[in-house]
Amino acid sequence: MNRKLLQSVREYKKQAFIAPVLVALEVLMEVLIPLLMANIIDVGIMNGDMGYIVKMGVLLVIMAMVALFFGAKAGQVAAVAAAGYAKNLRHDIFYKIQDFSFGNIDHFSTSSLVTRLTTDITNVQMAFMFSIRMLARAPIMVVLAWIMTATINLEIAFLLLVTIPILGGALIFIAKKAHPHFIAVFDEYDVLNNTVQENVNAARVVKAYVREDHENEKFNKISLKVFELFTKAEKIVAWNSPIMQFVMYAVVLCLVLIGGESIITGDMQTGELTSIMVYAMQILMSLMIVTFVFVQIMIAEASSDRIREVLEEVPEMEDEPGALTEVANGDIDFEHVDFSYAGEGGNLSLKDVSLHIKSGQIVGIIGGTGSAKSTLVQLIPRLYDVVGGSVKVGGVDVRRYSLEALRDQVSMVLQKNVLFTGSIYENIRWGDENASNEEVQRVCRLAQADGFIQEFPAGYNTMIVEGGNNVSGGQKQRLCIARALLKKPKILILDDSTSAVDTRTDALIRQAFREEIPDTTKIIIAQRISSVEDADMIIVMENGEINGIGTSEELLKTNAIYREVYESQLKGGEDDE
């Protein structure tokens, strides 16, 4: 088991230690039982001593009950240790993910992270439980049973000793062959989970376009690939059982030959041969348990590698020593900013961007698809880091702030709006968990959401289903805007977040911004000219560069792109009329 992962055992170390101790006591009782059976046969039965038989029989029953108690207790303690270990692993991975930047998250797919938090951790949990119970039992049983055999017949003990490295070598060979296939299986599991997640999330689109057959075919294709990889791995692992069975029967045959000859010559009694047979079976069964656990460990090893990747992923963004916790105001400065999603040396999405936004200004950003509008604003709350130049908020480089303090003062409503399962009150309070009902209702009025909320039978207590599928796109946008406003940020960023609302509602939202939060810097990315026309400053983006900056009147005179968009939309509006 990987050492990095074992650090997550933590408060369950006691149970993880006690379980093997209880197993050792169980094994000790089980090893003594064949010795009592031999004495019953060789002393009690051979001499016809019924009193001795009864006394030894009672003692045998007591030892069996004690072994049962230790075994049951060991199973209980091992289960607690394994479940606790899995709980801590899930905790550690989930908390680690919370520290990831967008760049870190881009390194793993969503479905892959879900698989690692579920299937992979379950595999590791099972392997851990088997290791502290069954795998701890096997070597103790093998050693004690072999010692007991050696006290009776060295020749047979030597025979049993020879079988151990033979089986061990076979296990190691099988493990090396099967391990790469198990790794491939779990990589394909990620793809399978992604297919299922995508299909469920887009169920309405699938049905609208009658693409069920296509989705079924896609699912069957990846499911078949998982099946084929698992089959390859299991075909290799399947050699465990026949090899084990062959060795076991060969050993039993040798025991019968050697033991029978020893009884005939008088070197061994019948009871001793019986006990040796039991010891041999204990040794061989222990080795068989090892093969079973070994398969689980091989599967868990592939899973543990994937879990370790997440735990060892270094967050791209961490607070520097003495990070600032106060943001002075909503001033924003871009100074010769270059940015690439691939990091240093990658193709630049932003090229030498410089601009200054004063605190409290309303700034509009327009540009064609792929012009890096969203990329520009994502650098402000430091969702990504620049590769050249600097971004400043309140006159300070964003890298000098505590991430929590910076993001607490920058509210961002993303293009893809997300609501969570819970009431409307609970969703809005993501902006401020301590906000009163009146404060929630006030920001909803500012975001023009109060009207439709009041129309719901349960009002603000209406439950939002997963993903917000029981509200329209425009309603979802307004709820997300209200949530952002509740933070009372120094900077508010709307990334095309009013595209699903009508122009009148859009205008009312912008009017509320100007009147109710005049000191907050407001950045509005939009496709509609009407959404940014009255902004204090409009930025025109093209191919990752600033093509023009100014008011609407200034840009109509100086910027061809803005003028073309303005005239096309104005003409479209006239045609509509």
Side-chain angles (χ1 to χ4, degrees), residues 107-120 183-198 222 226 306 309:
H107 183 226
F108 303 96
S109 68
T110 302
S111 57
S112 177
L113 290 173
V114 171
T115 304
R116 294 169 204 238
L117 274 163
T118 52
T119 304
D120 287 328
I183 292 177
V185 163
F186 291 112
D187 287 341
E188 292 303 323
Y189 258 133
D190 292 344
V191 181
L192 180 66
N193 285 345
N194 185 60
T195 301
V196 174
Q197 181 183 10
E198 200 173 55
I222 184 60
V226 171
R306 289 158 48 81
E309 284 179 2

Side-chain angles (χ1 to χ4, degrees), residues 199-257:
N199 180 269
V200 173
N201 288 340
R204 288 171 172 79
V205 178
V206 172
K207 294 184 182 300
Y209 284 86
V210 197
R211 296 285 284 176
E212 289 89 347
D213 290 342
H214 170 75
E215 288 298 309
N216 288 337
E217 182 181 345
K218 187 167 68 173
F219 175 82
N220 289 336
K221 185 177 179 181
I222 184 60
S223 183
L224 179 62
K225 192 167 185 180
V226 171
F227 164 76
E228 289 172 348
L229 286 170
F230 246 129
T231 302
K232 286 181 182 179
E234 292 296 343
K235 280 181 179 178
I236 298 172
V237 171
W239 281 97
N240 271 337
S241 183
I243 291 173
M244 188 69 214
Q245 294 289 340
F246 175 80
V247 173
M248 184 169 66
Y249 290 131
V251 168
V252 170
L253 182 60
C254 292
L255 283 177
V256 171
L257 292 173

Side-chain angles (χ1 to χ4, degrees), residues 366-373 415 527 541-543:
I366 68 166
T369 302
S371 59
K373 304 184 297 295
Q415 282 179 314
Q527 299 296 333
M541 298 290 297
E542 184 183 30
N543 297 325

Side-chain angles (χ1 to χ4, degrees), residues 356-363 518-523 536-537:
H356 173 67
I357 300 171
K358 295 178 181 179
S359 183
Q361 277 189 318
I362 297 178
V363 178
D519 297 328
T520 297
T521 303
K522 298 160 282 285
I523 301 176
D536 300 315
M537 178 170 69

